[in-house]
Amino acid sequence: MDAEARLTLQTLRLIVDNENSGSWNLAVDDMLLESVSTPHSGILRFYQWDPATLSLGYFQSSGQRESHQPSAQLNYLRRGTGGGAVIHDHELTYSLIFPTDSLPVNQISSVYVLVHQCLIEALHMLGAEDVIIASQAVQNPTPHAFLCFQRRNPGDVIIQGHKIAGSAQRRRHNHVLQHGSVLLGQSSYGPELPGIHELTQLQLTAQELQHAWLHTLERHLNIQCISEPITHTEKVAVKQIQQDKYLSDQWNEKR
């Protein structure tokens, strides 16, 4: 993989969080992207959401929520990345922050594929079959669908024609935040979206998947992650971002 050969990291900080609110989760990603400054260093974070939350893509109108009744009762907020809305319920979310100093533009976007290929390898290890990555020639029959997992884009992870993982990127200064969601199981708030359990009959926990996924990522990146939870000082910064941005109607209803 081209991206694998060029994404060279000397250190990769690992953060495995407990379930948290959506506003906290997105504020943590913002804080980490703002604070990382060491060259050739990256951050890998796994997290989940409680309570279940709907995140709108940055460019989506908040009024579009009315088009999807099953998720209408969920609290919602707006992500800083584009794409369709995501129902964060029975799923695992990850974020990867990496430097761009030595990466050409095409290699930055290829990291999206690298992470998904590592996910596919992890799923194969756990017993899932027929997991593929959408090719560059994939057609998107519903490019304006409200839900992200009803859209199809090159690099998405597919099982039996159903999307079970997608990611998005946002750049700031010399680093990129790439985050995405993996559907472990179907949510009552999105009954039209089967997850890994429904498609493979595997009852995977978030912990089982992140352990296997971490193993494949470390091997392909040729690095061992160093566990370093969020510090007290970082939590103070997160709370400020949470209050100013993700708990603000000005941000969430800006479109």
Side-chain angles (χ1 to χ4, degrees), residues 5-248:
R6 300 200 185 191
L7 182 57
T8 302
L9 299 173
Q10 294 176 356
T11 61
L12 186 60
R13 176 186 179 185
L14 174 65
I15 301 172
V16 179
D17 277 341
N18 296 321
E19 294 179 340
N20 284 298
S21 69
S23 60
W24 177 268
N25 279 331
L26 293 185
V28 170
D29 278 351
D30 277 13
M31 179 278 297
L32 293 173
L33 181 60
E34 290 283 347
S35 62
V36 65
S37 59
T38 307
H40 307 299
S41 67
I43 301 172
L44 174 63
R45 177 175 173 240
F46 293 110
Y47 56 98
Q48 292 180 278
W49 306 55
D50 184 29
T53 303
L54 180 79
S55 70
L56 295 175
Y58 180 76
F59 297 102
Q60 285 188 298
S61 164
S62 57
Q64 287 184 269
R65 297 196 64 214
E66 299 175 3
S67 68
H68 191 255
Q69 286 303 309
S71 66
Q73 62 183 292
L74 292 178
N75 292 331
Y76 80 96
L77 40 66
R78 184 177 302 280
R79 302 190 308 273
T81 51
V86 177
I87 297 168
H88 302 277
D89 191 8
H90 302 307
E91 50 95 71
L92 173 66
T93 306
Y94 84 94
S95 61
L96 174 66
I97 296 174
F98 59 92
T100 61
D101 299 29
S102 59
L103 289 175
V105 173
N106 67 316
Q107 292 298 312
I108 293 172
S109 59
S110 293
V111 176
Y112 181 103
V113 178
L114 166 63
V115 172
H116 284 188
Q117 288 175 322
C118 289
L119 171 61
I120 290 173
E121 187 175 325
L123 288 170
H124 286 163
M125 289 167 51
L126 293 168
E129 300 179 353
D130 302 320
V131 190
I132 64 171
I133 197 160
S135 70
Q136 292 295 321
V138 67
Q139 296 297 312
N140 189 351
T142 54
H144 303 296
F146 175 66
L147 295 176
C148 171
F149 282 83
Q150 290 180 319
R151 304 181 183 188
R152 295 291 181 275
N153 294 294
D156 289 343
V157 180
I158 307 293
I159 299 179
Q160 298 177 24
H162 295 276
K163 178 177 177 177
I164 59 94
S167 299
Q169 292 182 339
R170 177 160 65 95
R171 304 181 194 184
R172 180 165 178 80
H173 303 312
N174 294 323
H175 282 80
V176 168
L177 164 68
Q178 175 175 311
H179 62 187
S181 177
V182 184
L183 293 184
L184 297 173
Q186 190 176 55
S187 169
S188 60
Y189 304 111
E192 63 273 73
L193 302 176
I196 294 171
H197 173 63
E198 289 73 30
L199 296 169
T200 69
Q201 303 309 306
L202 290 174
Q203 189 73 50
L204 296 180
T205 66
Q207 291 71 28
E208 288 171 330
L209 179 56
Q210 71 189 28
H211 178 78
W213 198 1
L214 176 61
H215 174 75
T216 59
L217 283 165
E218 286 183 323
R219 183 160 53 81
H220 283 289
L221 292 173
N222 192 30
I223 193 171
Q224 184 173 4
C225 291
I226 301 171
S227 180
E228 186 181 333
I230 296 172
T231 67
H232 173 73
T233 300
E234 289 176 327
K235 288 180 180 179
V236 172
V238 171
K239 288 180 181 178
Q240 192 64 55
I241 297 171
Q242 181 186 30
Q243 189 65 41
D244 293 345
K245 187 173 181 180
Y246 294 109
L247 291 176
S248 165

